[in-house]
Amino acid sequence: QVQFVESGGGLVQPGGSLRLSCAASGSIRSIYAMGWYRQAPGKQRELAATISSGGSTNYAGSVKGRFTISRDNAKNTVYLQMNSLKPEDTAVYYCNVRGLGVNYWGKGTLVTVSS
């Protein structure tokens, strides 16, 4: 089993910032990448940002330039700095770990951007 500690979600006004953190632990054989996916109301889950163990990053076009993903491999922790938040960023954000032939998912943390 894999456990996640996700934190940093909450309610912010448009233009505000949040930083999400996810620390993974448990029976992970290997980690190739970590990242964040999000699911907005009425929509399917989509990629927000990922980062490989080597540091390569991938961002959704809708967040590029506003979000920054980083990680601490030694601590199996991934961060997502979210700036200039928009109402359309409102979603449940799920921590993801890509291992050897399997994906692990956190329970999610809610981000609400509203006036």
Side-chain angles (χ1 to χ4, degrees):
Q1 296 299 124
V2 176
Q3 296 81 42
F4 294 91
V5 178
E6 298 165 294
S7 63
L11 174 64
V12 297
Q13 294 186 338
S17 297
L18 287 172
R19 190 177 81 149
L20 305 183
S21 299
C22 175
S25 63
S27 58
I28 305 175
R29 302 293 184 272
S30 61
I31 297 176
Y32 296 109
M34 300 184 72
W36 294 92
Y37 290 68
R38 65 186 186 180
Q39 186 168 21
K43 297 183 179 180
Q44 297 191 73
R45 188 178 299 185
E46 65 177 5
L47 179 148
T50 62
I51 184 167
S52 73
S53 60
S56 298
T57 58
N58 186 35
Y59 296 93
S62 58
V63 310
K64 192 173 182 63
R66 299 186 297 118
F67 291 10
T68 302
I69 191 167
S70 60
R71 86 286 187 275
D72 184 334
N73 285 346
K75 297 180 179 180
N76 288 340
T77 300
V78 63
Y79 308 93
L80 186 66
Q81 179 67 44
M82 305 184 294
N83 298 325
S84 301
L85 284 162
K86 304 175 180 179
E88 51 263 45
D89 295 317
T90 296
V92 177
Y93 285 71
Y94 297 91
C95 183
N96 168 260
V97 172
R98 184 163 67 88
L100 181 59
V102 64
N103 281 298
Y104 303 95
W105 297 94
K107 293 183 178 180
T109 183
L110 178 63
V111 171
T112 302
V113 185
S114 176
S115 299

